[in-house]
Amino acid sequence: MIDPYDDTYFMKRALQEAEAAYEKDEIPIGAVVAIDNKVIARAHNLTETLNDVTAHAEMQAITAAANYLGGKYLHKCTLYVTIEPCQMCAGALFWSQINRVVYGARDEQRGCIEMNTKLHPKTKLSGGVLSEECSTLLKRFFVEKRNLN
Amino acid sequence: MIDPYDDTYFMKRALQEAEAAYEKDEIPIGAVVAIDNKVIARAHNLTETLNDVTAHAEMQAITAAANYLGGKYLHKCTLYVTIEPCQMCAGALFWSQINRVVYGARDEQRGCIEMNTKLHPKTKLSGGVLSEECSTLLKRFFVEKRNLN
């Protein structure tokens, strides 16, 4: 039987959030947090809108998920994010003790793999889900920015 | 002439914030952001109160300083924090492009030096200011916690 609630399903939700960021002229990155096949938090990058370097999609999603759960640890949760988390977001995920982190496309310059940021020993990291769609949206954003300047 | 606004002056302000966290039964870490000899943001750890692993003193101070300045970059600022920043906070400081980061006591287990988190090339990091006072408050907190449990 096909599981309708697979990683692709949740990454599509994260991609919708990235598209919402794109519409606001924000670097288009989106994230959702899921538990038991249910999305409990969704967020997109708002660094420009809020004038705040800490307003990455993942940071907001972690805060929103903890708020939903009524506790700061995300032990049974999975975070889906369209682009591999940076040092800051991976550091926040470390503290959250989250069960899984799934990213879409790699960030080979500023991502936590290249930067060697440590996740919690309990956390499983995987990627490459809808990678093409996630990176295409990001590339389109930067190409358009360059053409405007 | 003695400069009244030296690193010790600002670290004392950060330590006052750490004491405010201690009074709230939070892990006692405090931070301030200064520019031109003036404190423009102050914060203390609120992870328990807010049920949020992202509510470290530095994160809140970065957000508050950007809010004060009306821009997300903290180019001319110095952040004073009583304990060496973790991966998450150092990652946020990276994005802020802050001029200086000054910590009180080292965190040899979870601090950004041990974890090898990268700060922005523009950022100067130094520490050891009121180190004894900063670490004593933290140790007192954990000793009291152990005795209660």
Side-chain angles (χ1 to χ4, degrees), chain A residues 23-56:
Chain A
E23 294 301 322
K24 291 175 184 168
D25 208 25
E26 294 275 359
I27 294 177
I29 301 175
V32 300
V33 176
I35 187 168
D36 297 336
N37 287 338
K38 185 178 160 191
V39 170
I40 61 168
R42 59 183 76 236
H44 51 266
N45 177 39
L46 283 175
T47 49
E48 296 303 320
T49 306
L50 299 179
N51 254 332
D52 186 348
V53 297
T54 76
H56 284 194

Side-chain angles (χ1 to χ4, degrees), chain A residues 73-131:
Chain A
Y73 295 118
L74 309 181
H75 290 139
K76 293 179 179 173
C77 298
T78 301
L79 177 127
Y80 294 87
V81 58
T82 55
I83 306 291
E84 180 194 336
C86 73
Q87 298 186 117
M88 170 179 72
C89 294
L93 290 162
F94 176 98
W95 293 123
S96 79
Q97 302 186 15
I98 196 163
N99 180 42
R100 285 181 73 210
V101 175
V102 182
Y103 61 86
R106 279 287 304 273
D107 176 356
E108 289 178 7
Q109 289 192 298
R110 298 282 169 79
C112 60
I113 298 169
E114 179 60 28
M115 302 293 254
N116 209 17
T117 315
K118 284 172 197 67
L119 289 171
H120 195 275
K122 287 178 190 164
T123 304
K124 296 173 280 294
L125 176 69
S126 57
V129 180
L130 298 180
S131 170

Side-chain angles (χ1 to χ4, degrees), chain B residues 92-112:
Chain B
L93 289 163
F94 175 97
W95 293 121
S96 79
Q97 303 186 14
I98 196 164
N99 181 41
R100 285 181 74 210
V101 175
V102 182
Y103 61 86
R106 278 289 303 272
D107 177 355
E108 288 177 7
Q109 290 191 297
R110 298 280 169 80
C112 60

